[in-house]
Amino acid sequence: NHTKISEFILVGFKSHPGSQLFLSVLFSTMYAVTVVGNVCMILIIRMDSKLHTPMYFFLENLSVLDICYSSVITPRATLVFSLDRRNISYNGCASQMFFFSLFGTTEAFFLAVMAYDRFTAICNPLLYQVIMSKRRCVFMVMASYLSGCINCTIQTGFTFSLSFCGPKEINHFFCDVAAVMHASCSDTLINELVMLAVCGSIIVGTALVVFISYGYIIITIVQMSSAESRHKAFSTCSSHMMTICLFFGTVFFMYAQPGATPSPDKSNTISIFYTSVIPMLNPFIYTLRNKEVKGSLKKQLKR
């Protein structure tokens, strides 16, 4: 039977008291940079009509998603490290897990959709505007959020159907699925299998879309006769490939392999990358590697 409890205690990084101030400053700085960087990216895209294309429509939505994704984890983590407020209510923990899973899953689908967009632009340029119509782009964004909603409902529902007893300590700095499962006194085998099946299929499925898309992209770029065309095509994809490597590399290590949950210290450290570092870096990656965005930024600054 389900054991009613009122709160959990987040004990991630607690064994390193000397690092609490450093972690507090680190998380607050990363969150500020994430919000400012992604808001600037949204404003640049909105203010420049030349950037009103499918690629930048997805990039704008990615910036909105990164702000939401980081906001679920980073402010709460800052409170944990700065004020040592480690208690989190039962409902608060469930809500954090729900939205973390929602935005994390949606980001994986976004990256797959953006890879398909680049595949269409480079491999089928004459049909690009027809294939990537505004209606289809909106549909892809909504489908990504719907997929994220299905996954987070499954993950949160299964996890909080477990019984919790004992010290109620979660060896993490936020309510991650695996960490909350380990705090349960129930048999978690079915939950672990469900997590592996659902998360594994999402990560592997979206990664396959990305790899297949970029496989065709690379073949098309190599076959281009003009060196300038090859350079231009590659420059539009390089920033996206960097984001993909960072995101899928860390997430696959955490969720998509049997016995995927590493030691608590490693789990906490790796989680910082995909919850805080990647949302912070995305605006810089897309700005520094994209001539159109840099040109638009310079134009706005001159104004």
Side-chain angles (χ1 to χ4, degrees):
N1 294 327
H2 182 73
T3 304
K4 276 290 182 183
I5 60 173
S6 59
E7 63 182 14
F8 295 99
I9 303 171
L10 300 170
V11 297
F13 292 119
K14 196 172 184 179
S15 59
H16 307 286
S19 63
Q20 299 302 297
L21 177 60
F22 169 76
L23 288 170
S24 174
V25 174
L26 176 65
F27 272 79
S28 58
T29 302
M30 285 193 298
Y31 185 62
V33 174
T34 298
V35 173
V36 172
N38 281 287
V39 167
C40 287
M41 180 64 74
I42 294 168
L43 291 176
I44 290 169
I45 294 171
R46 285 288 179 93
M47 295 172 69
D48 192 340
S49 59
K50 292 181 180 178
L51 302 182
H52 294 176
T53 63
M55 182 178 82
Y56 292 105
F57 171 76
F58 293 127
L59 185 54
E60 180 183 358
N61 278 277
L62 180 66
S63 292
V64 173
L65 183 65
D66 279 338
I67 292 172
C68 297
Y69 187 36
S70 184
S71 297
V72 173
I73 305 298
T74 313
R76 174 74 203 185
T78 303
L79 288 177
V80 168
F81 299 129
S82 60
L83 304 177
D84 203 32
R85 291 174 56 178
R86 296 182 175 273
N87 291 5
I88 182 169
S89 68
Y90 180 89
N91 291 333
C93 187
S95 298
Q96 187 182 57
M97 181 185 294
F98 180 89
F99 287 108
F100 162 70
S101 299
L102 169 63
F103 296 131
T105 305
T106 304
E107 178 135 352
F109 280 95
F110 264 25
L111 293 176
V113 166
M114 291 171 74
Y116 176 74
D117 171 71
R118 290 299 83 207
F119 158 76
T120 307
I122 293 172
C123 300
N124 298 289
L126 298 178
L127 297 175
Y128 179 63
Q129 294 298 332
V130 176
I131 296 173
M132 301 304 294
S133 63
K134 187 175 182 180
R135 176 179 290 184
R136 180 165 294 182
C137 291
V138 172
F139 172 78
M140 287 179 171
V141 169
M142 298 303 295
S144 297
Y145 274 104
L146 177 61
S147 301
C149 191
I150 292 172
N151 179 53
C152 69
T153 301
I154 293 172
Q155 296 293 344
T156 307
F158 267 82
T159 302
F160 282 88
S161 66
L162 298 170
S163 297
F164 297 93
C165 47
K168 301 167 292 185
E169 292 185 346
I170 298 174
N171 202 337
H172 218 311
F173 62 89
F174 71 97
C175 290
D176 189 24
V177 177
V180 175
M181 279 198 300
H182 288 168
S184 170
C185 51
S186 302
D187 182 6
T188 61
L189 177 61
I190 294 177
N191 292 66
E192 290 176 8
L193 292 174
V194 169
M195 185 178 79
L196 178 62
V198 176
C199 293
S201 60
I202 289 172
I203 295 168
V204 173
T206 51
L208 277 176
V209 172
V210 169
F211 293 143
I212 292 171
S213 296
Y214 274 101
Y216 280 106
I217 287 171
I218 291 170
I219 293 171
T220 303
I221 291 175
V222 170
Q223 292 175 345
M224 290 178 177
S225 57
S226 169
E228 184 180 350
S229 298
R230 289 197 297 269
H231 177 74
K232 184 179 179 181
F234 182 76
S235 66
T236 62
C237 300
S238 57
S239 55
H240 188 232
M241 286 191 289
M242 290 174 65
T243 302
I244 286 168
C245 292
L246 286 170
F247 183 83
F248 281 103
T250 52
V251 171
F252 184 86
F253 184 79
M254 286 290 293
Y255 299 107
Q257 48 181 320
T261 307
S263 65
D265 284 344
K266 285 184 179 180
S267 176
N268 289 329
T269 304
I270 294 167
S271 298
I272 293 175
F273 280 92
Y274 63 82
T275 59
S276 301
V277 175
I278 294 174
M280 178 186 68
L281 291 179
N282 278 347
F284 297 98
I285 292 173
Y286 283 102
T287 301
L288 296 175
R289 299 290 300 177
N290 191 304
K291 289 183 178 180
E292 290 179 321
V293 175
K294 285 192 290 186
S296 179
L297 178 60
K298 288 178 182 178
K299 185 170 67 175
Q300 299 301 329
L301 289 175
K302 286 180 181 178
R303 286 183 179 179

